[in-house]
Amino acid sequence: MQIDLSGKTALVTGGSRGIGRAICTGLAESGARVIVNFRSSAEEAEGLCREIELAGGEAVCRQGDVSDADEVEALFQFVESEFEQLDILVNNAGVIKDTLLLSMKLSDWDKVMDTNLRSAFLCSRLGAEMMFRRRSGKIINMSSVSAIRSSRGQANYAASKGGILSFTRACAAELAGRGIQVNAVLPGFVETDMTRRVMSRAGKQTLERIPSGRFGQPDDIAGLVVFLASPLADYITGQAIPVDGGLSI
Ligand code: NAP
């Protein structure tokens, strides 16, 4: 069995760095045309597109804050006008603003909920509309083990990622009859800019909690996303799949 995504158009939110970057590369290597969305790291996004094209793939960058309804509207207008179709949507953009509940500001809560959860709603609504027309599509939402295993200081983050799981199931039930599958991926500790601070502070203790004995790498997550984006996963929908080296067992 081989994964062939040629002829497919994929949009990856927050594709410029970390896990999103690996997902963009994986989708492009499998033949998809990739739209690399980013908010502020233009240089990284442009570098990634060049890298994909040098390797014989197709990629284009598009700036847009996916927590902002107008910017999401503009992003999807771009997808519509440039590509006419959307086959794969990866709602990957995310942030953390960890702090204990008593010192959590409303702005910390809103920022995390808006970037991690509201964005998935805004993008899925417009993405599903494009997929509806062709009666086929894949939506892959980035959740986290934090949705099912709680850590101190993550009330906002855990709530946003738990929300993603419920959102995924509800959308999957609604869209399954239209040939659109919606699934969630739950990474454990993956080495990216997002986790650098935690790893430098508590890397050893964190590692001891992972049965596989190593941190995840962005490619570990990208492999599952590429599979879920492919026809091999046509009968999988509404699922929440951890990729965490056994952390959530
Ligand atoms: P990362 O290295 O910090 O990258 C985050 C990406 O999201 C960047 O490309 C960033 O783009 C983009 N982004 C942030 N806010 C955005 C916005 N408003 N609009 C558009 N793009 C935005 O993080 P990561 O570790 O790769 O995490 C990717 C996803 O996996 C997140 O949803 C995260 O919650 C989830 N996750 C990560 C881990 C982990 O251990 N790393 C574990 C579980 C879940 P700019 O640079 O342009 O701002």
Side-chain angles (χ1 to χ4, degrees):
M1 281 190 205
Q2 273 194 331
I3 291 181
D4 180 10
L5 299 178
S6 46
K8 307 278 186 198
T9 302
L11 168 63
V12 181
T13 70
S16 54
R17 296 185 284 118
I19 293 171
R21 183 187 170 88
I23 293 170
C24 290
T25 304
L27 291 170
E29 280 173 357
S30 306
R33 285 183 290 268
V34 182
I35 302 146
V36 180
N37 158 257
F38 65 97
R39 183 193 45 184
S40 52
S41 46
E43 219 172 283
E44 283 93 336
E46 280 157 16
L48 173 61
C49 288
R50 272 196 303 276
E51 220 173 85
I52 288 174
E53 288 189 339
L54 276 173
E58 245 184 284
V60 58
C61 311
R62 194 69 186 176
Q63 197 275 335
D65 178 343
V66 289
S67 66
D68 181 293
D70 292 339
E71 295 200 21
V72 170
E73 188 82 44
L75 175 64
F76 279 81
Q77 267 169 20
F78 168 79
V79 177
E80 178 86 57
S81 64
E82 291 293 311
F83 301 98
E84 288 172 16
Q85 71 185 69
L86 183 69
D87 305 286
I88 300 157
L89 167 64
V90 185
N91 287 312
N92 167 76
V95 288
I96 45 169
K97 285 215 167 282
D98 289 2
T99 185
L100 295 174
L101 182 63
L102 296 190
S103 49
M104 189 173 287
K105 298 191 206 96
L106 179 58
S107 58
D108 296 329
W109 175 269
D110 286 344
K111 175 80 180 168
V112 169
M113 293 302 282
D114 289 354
T115 308
N116 298 4
L117 185 57
R118 185 177 199 253
S119 65
F121 159 67
L122 293 173
C123 292
S124 300
R125 192 171 51 158
L126 296 177
E129 196 180 319
M130 291 184 76
M131 293 171 185
F132 240 65
R133 299 200 292 259
R134 295 163 64 89
R135 294 196 166 251
S136 104
K138 308 277 188 189
I139 299 177
I140 297 143
N141 296 321
M142 204 52 68
S143 179
S144 166
V145 282
S146 300
I148 53 172
R149 291 276 177 279
S150 299
S151 300
R152 281 159 51 87
Q154 290 209 309
N156 50 1
Y157 187 75
S160 73
K161 295 301 186 179
I164 284 284
L165 297 187
S166 303
F167 178 70
T168 297
R169 283 192 289 268
C171 292
E174 201 174 306
L175 300 174
R178 304 288 178 145
I180 302 168
Q181 291 82 48
V182 189
N183 289 290
V185 174
L186 286 70
F189 283 98
V190 181
E191 286 189 84
T192 66
D193 294 341
M194 182 178 277
T195 48
R196 195 146 293 147
R197 212 155 52 95
V198 183
M199 302 235 185
S200 64
R201 207 179 48 222
K204 195 162 171 288
Q205 294 100 295
T206 309
L207 195 56
E208 280 163 7
R209 293 168 50 205
I210 305 173
S212 295
R214 69 168 176 90
F215 293 117
Q217 295 302 317
D219 281 346
D220 292 320
I221 313 303
L224 176 61
V225 173
V226 172
F227 166 73
L228 289 173
S230 78
L232 294 177
D234 278 354
Y235 203 53
I236 301 174
T237 198
Q239 300 306 306
I241 309 175
V243 186
D244 62 1
L247 180 65
S248 60
I249 297 169

